[in-house]
Amino acid sequence: MGCWARLKSSDWAYPTAVLAFYGFFANCRIAEPFLTPYLIGPHKNISEEVVTNYLFPIWTYSYLAFLFPVFLLTDLLRHKPLIVLQGFFLLVNYVLLCFVPGLPAMVFLEISYAVVTASDVAYFSYIYSIIPMENYQRATGYLRSAVLFGYTFGAGLGQILISLAGLDYFHINAITLGVVSVAFLLSFWLPKPKRSMFFKGRKAVALGQKSQQTRPVGAADETVSDAGSGKRKMEHNDSTGWCGGENIVNAGHLLWQSFRESYSSRHLIYWSLWWALATAGYTQIMNYIQLMWDHIEPSATSSVYNGGVEAACSLVGAAAALSVSHIKVNWTVWGELALGVFSAIGAGAVFLTALTSNIWACYAGYALFKSCYMLLITVTTFQIAANLSLECYALTFGINTFVALVLQTVMTLIFVDEATLGVDIVTQFIIYGSYHAAISALFMIRGVYTVCATPSSPGPSDMEKERDDTAEVIYAESF
């Protein structure tokens, strides 16, 4: 009891622990790697063409519709209600999968899952609104580890239950329903934050503007510290009328200021451009990879190893992301060229998954592609985060996610939706490979130009900046 009392009295350990357990159970979706075989199998009996060209696009369109409203509501309602909502819709998803037959129920499932994915912003930004800034890096490490471990454990356990215990897909969906129910209950234990990033009230806005005005020009390394100091002071300010009209105007003003700061640098614009372009392609491939596996090795007549592959790929991707902290590179000079080179490797991996008839080669191509993306997105996130305050950081990633989702929606609408081209799954992956090849060519050209235009001997300040950037890797991954 004494340990529990000390945990609850901590200004960061209690909310971090509850959120980490929530993240573990919410992402321990044992049945998720087997969603496509479940939908096209005897339990739901939906054809592969309907799943590919009708059902899955609904999630993309719904996600786009929900993303920006959820982003604003997360800050307006101070995070916790959106996390509870995410847990509730996760519960609804698996109730539908287990007990509600028919295509209309699966359509509602896709819309419900769009709410879940859009609410991820609440999960990853919650902790920064409730704990002191000096604990950001440790808390972020715990939360990312909880999510990764939950997903890996769930995928691996699902594979064991399918291959060794002989359970069918309905039973692993029922088990997953029990697991996400724990996450939903845990969400009520989270303390509600006392502050918002943008909907702060008049006194908080005035204090934040004064802090920005008094900060010396060019003190980029102090931005985050100043922001944190201002936020600690804001906790004591009167927040009366935080949802009133004047505060909404002030929030809009802060959003505009943050937007201008976020995209004021050409360097940040290039990193953000790659982030949006690559994430659109990555999400599209993640959305349809199970259909590709089922096309090469039909689940109705073959053993399915989706869970084991997803678990292994998550670990390989995490290792690739963690390797960034041990790479000593001047990313300002070599970063864009690295984006081009590794995007080319990823494009080759996508072509491999599209053109091979061997399921293990397809698995290997998927693992290589995911590793390249995880490596590059980690570099991109800390490059952006190291140069921005927390408000700008959150807004930048919200905008980049929105742009990525718009691009993904365009690809879905043109190539996947049955109302337009509705191409088959192999042709889709050839298109996705060509898309990543185009990204690679764009950044290779830009990277070669940057390398040739930069002096070959960086000064001490550049090397010091690289050390500072590397220290931000875990912190930056939070969004």
Side-chain angles (χ1 to χ4, degrees):
M1 292 298 293
C3 294
W4 176 251
R6 286 195 297 271
L7 180 66
K8 289 208 70 172
S9 63
S10 171
D11 58 354
W12 78 279
Y14 173 72
T16 303
V18 176
L19 196 62
F21 279 113
Y22 171 85
F24 172 82
F25 286 103
N27 287 275
C28 188
R29 304 170 198 167
I30 301 167
E32 188 167 289
F34 307 96
L35 176 62
T36 296
Y38 183 63
L39 292 176
I40 66 179
H43 291 92
K44 296 299 179 183
N45 199 27
I46 303 173
S47 70
E48 183 177 327
E49 291 74 18
V50 171
V51 171
T52 305
N53 303 125
Y54 174 71
L55 198 56
F56 282 1
I58 292 173
W59 170 80
T60 304
Y61 304 148
S62 302
Y63 188 12
L64 178 64
F66 289 135
L67 181 63
F68 191 67
V70 168
F71 174 78
L72 293 179
L73 285 173
T74 294
D75 198 48
L76 181 65
L77 301 179
R78 300 180 187 178
H79 302 81
K80 180 179 176 177
L82 273 298
I83 297 176
V84 174
L85 186 71
Q86 183 185 53
F88 173 74
F89 275 100
L90 265 176
L91 199 64
V92 169
N93 283 356
Y94 285 95
V95 169
L96 291 171
L97 282 170
C98 290
F99 305 115
V100 185
L103 185 59
M106 296 303 98
V107 170
F108 185 77
L109 169 75
E110 294 297 318
I111 298 172
S112 173
Y113 187 62
V115 177
V116 173
T117 50
S119 301
D120 277 342
V121 66
Y123 175 82
F124 286 118
S125 59
Y126 167 88
I127 205 67
Y128 305 107
S129 65
I130 203 167
I131 70 170
M133 179 164 288
E134 57 268 19
N135 299 116
Y136 277 8
Q137 185 166 329
R138 291 175 65 189
T140 302
Y142 294 145
L143 298 183
R144 295 298 297 186
S145 299
V147 170
L148 174 64
F149 184 61
Y151 187 79
T152 305
F153 179 80
L157 179 59
Q159 189 64 60
I160 291 171
L161 294 175
I162 291 289
S163 299
L164 300 182
L167 269 66
D168 65 15
Y169 297 133
F170 172 80
H171 289 106
I172 63 170
N173 274 283
I175 294 171
T176 308
L177 174 60
V179 172
V180 298
S181 299
V182 176
F184 177 58
L185 294 176
L186 282 170
S187 66
F188 290 97
W189 289 43
L190 290 167
K192 190 172 182 179
K194 297 179 181 179
R195 61 175 184 262
S196 301
M197 285 186 291
F198 299 108
F199 295 92
K200 299 176 179 179
R202 287 174 296 179
K203 293 183 180 180
V205 170
L207 180 61
Q209 291 174 341
K210 182 178 180 181
S211 173
Q212 289 293 325
Q213 292 170 357
T214 57
R215 185 169 61 86
V217 176
D221 294 337
E222 297 176 3
T223 302
V224 176
S225 297
D226 289 347
S229 176
K231 285 180 181 176
R232 283 190 290 271
K233 292 176 183 177
M234 287 173 195
E235 291 179 14
H236 304 289
N237 281 329
D238 177 22
S239 59
T240 302
W242 61 274
C243 60
E246 184 176 352
N247 191 34
I248 292 175
V249 172
N250 289 331
H253 181 65
L254 285 176
L255 283 165
W256 174 244
Q257 284 186 324
S258 299
F259 175 82
R260 292 181 60 186
E261 181 181 338
S262 300
Y263 296 97
S264 60
S265 165
R266 183 179 299 179
H267 178 71
L268 294 180
I269 290 175
Y270 289 138
W271 287 105
S272 294
L273 177 63
W274 181 90
W275 197 97
L277 292 172
T279 299
Y282 171 79
T283 308
Q284 195 75 347
I285 288 170
M286 292 289 290
N287 208 26
Y288 292 93
I289 189 63
Q290 289 186 33
L291 287 160
M292 174 58 74
W293 292 339
D294 202 85
H295 172 79
I296 296 174
E297 197 90 5
S299 57
T301 58
S302 307
S303 298
V304 176
Y305 299 100
N306 296 7
V309 172
E310 288 287 6
C313 288
S314 294
L315 292 178
V316 172
L322 289 174
S323 68
V324 173
S325 62
H326 302 287
I327 299 174
K328 302 301 181 183
V329 175
N330 188 342
W331 294 107
T332 304
V333 177
W334 296 99
E336 290 161 3
L337 187 60
L339 293 177
V341 170
F342 282 98
S343 294
I345 297 173
V350 177
F351 280 123
L352 175 62
T353 63
L355 301 176
T356 186
S357 58
N358 185 291
I359 188 63
W360 295 103
C362 186
Y363 287 153
Y366 172 68
L368 180 60
F369 169 76
K370 189 169 184 177
S371 298
C372 290
Y373 176 81
M374 289 297 179
L375 174 72
L376 295 180
I377 197 65
T378 304
V379 175
T380 303
T381 50
F382 81 71
Q383 280 292 312
I384 294 173
N387 294 281
L388 296 176
S389 63
L390 181 60
E391 288 85 355
C392 297
Y393 177 55
L395 182 63
T396 299
F397 281 82
I399 292 173
N400 290 350
T401 301
F402 182 77
V403 173
L405 193 52
V406 169
L407 293 172
Q408 184 191 348
T409 302
V410 170
M411 284 191 284
T412 300
L413 185 61
I414 295 174
F415 301 115
V416 183
D417 199 308
E418 64 178 4
T420 51
L421 295 180
V423 300
D424 62 88
I425 193 66
V426 174
T427 306
Q428 281 187 45
F429 271 73
I430 292 174
I431 293 170
Y432 302 151
S434 303
Y435 173 81
H436 283 276
I439 296 174
S440 170
L442 175 65
F443 280 88
M444 274 190 179
I445 294 171
R446 173 65 194 177
V448 169
Y449 171 79
T450 301
V451 171
C452 294
T454 303
S456 58
S457 300
S461 60
D462 294 328
M463 299 304 293
E464 184 65 30
K465 186 177 185 301
E466 284 302 308
R467 287 192 292 271
D468 292 341
D469 286 350
T470 302
E472 296 285 345
V473 172
I474 298 178
Y475 170 65
E477 269 202 282
S478 60
F479 287 92

